[in-house]
Structure formats: structure tokens, C-alpha cells
Amino acid sequence: MSVWTSRYPTGVPCWVDLAVPDVAAALAFYRGLFGWDDEIEPAPPGGYTTCTLGGRPVAGLLDRRPGQPGPIAWTTHLAADDVDAVARGIVAAGGEVSVPPTDVRTLGRTAVAVDPTGGVFAVWQAREHIGAGVVDEPGAVVWNELYTPDSGRAKRFYADVFGVTFQDMSDADFDYATFHVDGVPRGGLAGVRNGPPPHWAVYFAVRDADESVTRVDDLGGTVLRGPEESPYGRVAAIRDPQGALFNVIAVASNPNGPQ
């Protein structure tokens, strides 16, 4: 199991969570698909459910406020040593801080932001809660990537705010780059001009993509695409019963753990 026990470096995706109208129904779906357990924590409004895998935190579920704008969607959290400084950097780089830096009890400090191209993300400054305690394993997050209509502007923004670097992987038909922290690839950025609205996409690892797709149907979700082969594993795009989009990808267990 690829275990994290210390703070994530600034700019690394460290946590994902999902605000939904029915947390119990979401928990039943993801428990059935990924084998998650849960711990319900008292936090307004209505509590926060930390989903666990092998006893370690892997993702969060929370109540969606009535009338909350925007689609039901997984939120990627990027790590930061100082969320207040990052929030100032977001504004200076042309982004928007939609939820200002806020303490989450003794767990950490967070903010929610929108990059200049429209991608929504959160920032997490760890205290007691470092973020995901397990990654790159079946049932855990294995990859995060931004879909944006303006890849050049997005790259400048994330480089300025988080200090990440990019390695271009594009060809004539494909605008894509990986972003790196301390020389290690930590996620991707795809330029898509006539595709979906800007968003951070989440990939969960599974042992068998075909088996997972069958379970999605049984659990009431929708398979939007796949499973199909990719250079990195067999992948499928999924919509959960409440409308949140995510991906599953079949990967081998990582024997080396996180870098």
C-alpha cells in the first residue's frame, strides 16, 4: 500500500472531496465500488464524512448546501505550506478566491479558488490532517488533471502560484502536459477548446476496470466512456448517481510508494 504519513509538498494534489445532496447514498455507491469505510465527523453544516481505505483517509463527502451554485463535482485540493500566502498569489496571478482562507478546527486551513481559465480547486494547509493517507492503490486517487480551454494561461497561473514546472507531451492532435513538483510528475493539464467546461478531473485506481464498470451499473451509476486501453492502464469515465464525474483506471499496485 502506498502510504503518506507527512505533509504533501506545495502544489501536489493531496485530497479530494465531494459535496452531494445525499451523503448516505453517495457513501453507499462509493463503498460498493471502492470498498471504502467511513468516519462521520461533526462539522457544520451537517457533518463531514472521511472515507477510509485500510484505516487511512482517502477522500471526503459532505452535504451540499441548498442552492449551492455549480455542478456536483469532485474537488481537487492542492497542498500549501501557507494557504494565506497562496490565496494572495492566486489573486495576483489573475485567479479568484471564492472561499477565503478558513480554519477547519485543528485539522488544517483551507481556501477555494478559481483559476483564470475557470478551473475550480481548493488549497489545503495541513495540520492534523495531511490529506490522503493512501494513494496510487486500488480504491485510492491515482491521478488529477485539469481540463482547460487555455492551457498556456493555466500553466502560467499554476507555475506562478505553486511553483510547479511542466513537461510538454503534446502532439498535433493532443494538447497535454504533466506538472511536476521537485522533479516528480504529480498531475496533468489538458488543453481542450471545444470540450467540457474547465474542471479538475479525478482518477481512482482499480484492479480491474471491466469489473468496476459492471459494478457501476449495478450500483446505479452511468458509464460514459470505456473501458478502453490507454498507455497507462485500462480506463473508463463514470458519472455517479448524483451526477459527479470521475474516472477509474486499472493500475498495478505501486511497490515503491509515493516519491
Side-chain angles (χ1 to χ4, degrees), residues 39-137:
E39 299 175 6
I40 299 176
E41 304 170 3
Y48 190 98
T49 298
T50 298
C51 302
T52 61
L53 190 68
R56 298 182 181 275
V58 68
L61 298 171
L62 65 155
D63 291 312
R64 183 179 171 91
R65 300 187 306 273
Q68 182 175 332
I72 296 172
W74 282 97
T75 300
T76 293
H77 297 238
L78 303 179
D81 290 335
D82 185 339
V83 71
D84 295 82
V86 167
R88 293 190 292 271
I90 287 168
V91 174
E96 174 189 348
V97 177
S98 54
V99 178
T102 305
D103 286 325
V104 183
R105 303 194 307 279
T106 57
L107 300 176
R109 190 163 171 81
T110 190
V112 179
V114 186
D115 71 37
T117 74
V120 176
F121 65 98
V123 184
W124 182 252
Q125 178 183 332
R127 291 172 183 158
E128 293 177 0
H129 176 65
I130 63 167
V134 56
V135 295
D136 301 340
E137 295 286 341

Side-chain angles (χ1 to χ4, degrees), residues 1 14 21 26 45 63 121 126 130 136 148 158 169 172 176 191 216 249 254 258:
M1 181 173 286
C14 65
D63 291 312
F121 65 98
I130 63 167
D136 301 340
T148 172
Y158 289 98
M169 301 177 67
Y176 195 87
V216 165
I249 183 166
N254 181 357

Side-chain angles (χ1 to χ4, degrees), residues 141-217:
V141 174
V142 69
W143 194 247
N144 305 75
E145 63 189 10
L146 174 68
Y147 287 81
T148 172
D150 190 338
S151 60
R153 190 176 187 190
K155 288 175 186 176
R156 291 192 296 273
F157 172 82
Y158 289 98
D160 288 347
V161 175
F162 293 99
V164 301
T165 59
F166 290 90
Q167 179 176 331
D168 188 64
M169 301 177 67
S170 303
D171 59 29
D173 302 313
F174 185 55
D175 180 1
Y176 195 87
T178 52
F179 67 85
H180 297 234
V181 176
D182 298 329
V184 178
R186 296 301 190 185
L189 191 153
V192 183
R193 292 191 176 275
N194 297 309
H199 69 283
W200 276 89
V202 179
Y203 289 73
F204 293 99
V206 294
R207 289 184 175 84
D208 186 319
D210 295 82
E211 179 186 0
S212 295
V213 160
T214 299
R215 267 186 281 159
V216 165
D217 287 331

